[in-house]
Amino acid sequence: MSLSGKRVLLGVSGGIAIYKTLELLSRLNRVGADTTVVMTRGAAEFVTPLAFQTMSRRHVYTDLFSDEDGFIPHIDLTREADLFLIAPATANVIAKMAQGLADDLLSSTALAAHCPVMVSPAMNVVMYQNPATQANLALLRERGIRVIEPESGWLACAEMGEGRMPEAAELFDVIEDFFTEKDLRGKRLLVTAGPTKERLDPVRFLTNDSSGKQGVAIAKRAKLRGADVCLVHGDVSVPLPKGIETRVVESTEDMLDALKQALPDADALIMAAAPADFKPVKRAEEKMKGLDDGRVRTFDVVDTPDILKSLSELVTDQIMIGFATETEHLMENAREKLTKKKLDYIVANDVTQQGAGFDVDTNIVTILGHEGERSYPKMSKEDVADRILDLLV
């Protein structure tokens, strides 16, 4: 994960959105970021410094005039940080930053910042839309401070409108994007995710246990690394990344048709979906009724199109990466698919291994190419995504 070891200084001012900052702090710690917190007196009225100290496992700074063995917080904190994010940033804090005021630790630290600074405004809609606030935010943008735009919605004051601080997950994504090298900029990637469905009748279908987590992780990391991403997906169980093109499909044939349309503009295809391998010979037009007389119901099925084999005939210079999801003879099957489907690489995983199944957040893979094979230990699906994307750099 790109945030491991990154030093993030969190500035917290007094607003009800402060609870989101606690969750953000938890998310940052889980991926190995090194976090430190600076709080205003107003912030301490909402959440005690002890809560942030417990979450960050570090001293929380609140006093402008503290001097700890030569360490001067408002000077030295950002000297040691890779990023300074103020969230929530109240109208008062934003005004201080715009006018260069430094009457407490947070505003002094912002004025003396040695690292990139971001602010996430959070306030009442009327305060946010006030010309003074908008002018102050414009000044901050002109000076190179990134303003994370607030959302519209119900506010704590029971009004509707702009001024709502984004959720912790979205702030985390902003930070992750900041620290991610854009080494795939200029690349157009076609990624697939999730299962396909083959209908038995209008209310029943054949499918598999794929959650789409691995494919969505690949699409997300590719977007963060600067690629232009088209995600063709079935019914996935995880949120889709923002800022990417998506095409929803149901059947395996639908997925193949969508990929045929998108492939000519792509630099690479990463086939992480789990298409259904067979479908009923005949689909019932109406809902099938249950049998009450003990008879056995049978269905005739036929193979669905082999997507990668079909696309291999259309490839010009695209890099083709497939998956071999197996329950036995993993490496033998993967090597056969690599050659038979004319792939550049194939990602092999045995879903019977603990931590490598469809609906978990980790995976255990071996990546095979014509130049060799490399096995990886259990890791998050986003880390697996990065190992796959590294093949394209």
Side-chain angles (χ1 to χ4, degrees):
M1 178 66 70
S2 59
L3 292 179
S4 179
K6 299 299 183 183
R7 298 167 298 181
V8 180
L9 178 63
L10 289 177
V12 187
S13 58
I16 192 63
I18 194 171
Y19 72 92
K20 298 178 182 180
T21 313
L22 275 172
E23 183 183 343
L24 173 62
L25 183 59
S26 175
R27 287 174 176 266
L28 290 171
N29 288 341
R30 287 202 298 268
V31 297
D34 184 357
T35 54
T36 305
V37 177
V38 175
M39 297 180 70
T40 64
R41 290 183 179 178
E45 293 293 324
F46 288 89
V47 176
T48 67
L50 179 60
F52 279 99
Q53 182 172 313
T54 302
M55 295 291 291
S56 66
R57 299 174 186 173
R58 281 176 166 265
H59 176 70
V60 172
Y61 294 88
T62 59
D63 186 2
L64 175 60
F65 298 104
S66 65
D67 182 358
E68 303 174 5
D69 296 326
F71 183 85
I72 306 172
H74 73 283
I75 300 296
D76 295 329
L77 281 172
T78 58
R79 198 191 303 276
E80 297 180 354
D82 298 306
L83 175 67
F84 183 20
L85 168 64
I86 302 175
T90 61
N92 184 50
V93 165
I94 290 167
K96 288 181 182 182
M97 293 175 65
Q99 303 306 318
L101 297 179
D103 62 354
D104 64 4
L105 179 57
L106 181 58
S107 57
S108 297
T109 303
L111 191 61
H114 292 80
C115 66
V117 180
M118 296 182 184
V119 296
S120 183
M123 65 197 74
N124 169 270
V125 57
V126 178
M127 296 174 71
Y128 177 72
Q129 294 177 345
N130 188 287
T133 301
Q134 291 301 308
N136 289 333
L137 288 170
L139 273 175
L140 296 187
R141 293 187 186 98
E142 288 176 13
R143 295 170 186 166
I145 294 174
R146 177 170 176 181
V147 177
I148 302 171
E149 300 300 331
E151 299 176 346
S152 293
W154 282 106
L155 306 174
C157 53
E159 292 192 65
M160 172 73 78
E162 295 175 296
R164 180 187 178 98
M165 191 170 89
E167 299 300 318
E170 295 179 52
L171 293 177
F172 180 90
D173 287 345
V174 171
I175 296 172
E176 190 175 23
D177 178 71
F178 171 80
F179 283 115
T180 302
E181 182 183 358
K182 307 305 183 218
D183 54 359
L184 292 177
R185 196 184 302 278
K187 300 290 185 181
R188 169 76 170 171
L189 302 190
L190 187 55
V191 181
T192 67
T196 59
K197 299 176 180 177
E198 302 297 339
R199 291 273 169 194
L200 292 167
D201 64 19
V203 299
R204 301 181 181 91
F205 50 81
L206 301 174
T207 189
N208 56 64
D209 288 328
S210 174
S211 63
K213 286 183 177 182
Q214 185 63 78
V216 170
I218 293 169
K220 175 186 175 182
R221 291 300 304 166
K223 172 67 170 57
L224 285 170
R225 291 172 67 163
D228 180 17
V229 180
C230 175
L231 177 64
V232 179
H233 66 91
D235 187 12
V236 300
S237 65
V238 289
L240 298 178
K242 292 185 177 181
I244 66 171
E245 177 187 350
T246 59
R247 302 186 187 185
V248 184
V249 298
E250 180 173 89
S251 70
T252 299
E253 193 164 345
D254 292 339
M255 181 169 282
L256 176 57
D257 289 342
L259 293 174
K260 283 181 177 179
Q261 294 176 18
L263 185 63
D265 296 325
D267 295 298
L269 166 65
I270 304 176
M271 187 73 190
D277 293 319
F278 42 81
K279 64 180 180 179
V281 171
K282 184 177 180 180
R283 169 181 167 175
E285 296 300 322
E286 303 295 338
K287 177 184 174 182
M288 293 181 288
K289 304 301 181 182
L291 301 176
D292 297 327
D293 55 6
R295 287 179 296 161
V296 175
R297 188 190 297 277
T298 61
F299 299 97
D300 291 326
V301 296
V302 64
D303 287 349
T304 56
D306 186 324
I307 291 179
L308 282 173
K309 188 174 181 181
S310 300
L311 293 178
S312 66
E313 301 171 1
L314 306 176
V315 169
T316 53
D317 57 353
Q318 293 93 343
I319 294 174
M320 302 284 283
I321 302 175
F323 271 70
T325 300
E326 305 289 345
T327 59
E328 60 179 355
H329 308 304
L330 176 65
M331 300 308 295
E332 296 92 327
N333 290 335
R335 294 185 188 108
E336 180 182 357
K337 288 181 180 180
L338 178 68
T339 303
K340 186 177 180 180
K341 299 188 180 185
K342 301 178 182 178
L343 302 175
D344 295 285
Y345 301 95
I346 193 162
V347 182
N349 67 313
D350 181 349
V351 293
T352 65
Q353 291 189 72
Q354 186 174 3
F358 278 128
D359 198 25
V360 294
D361 295 327
T362 56
N363 212 342
I364 304 169
V365 304
T366 297
I367 299 178
L368 298 82
H370 298 289
E371 69 280 6
E373 305 170 3
R374 182 167 182 179
S375 297
Y376 295 92
K378 183 170 70 173
M379 61 180 66
S380 73
K381 288 188 173 176
E382 290 198 358
D383 284 338
V384 170
D386 275 324
R387 300 302 184 277
I388 296 168
L389 293 170
D390 288 343
L391 302 171
L392 307 178
V393 178

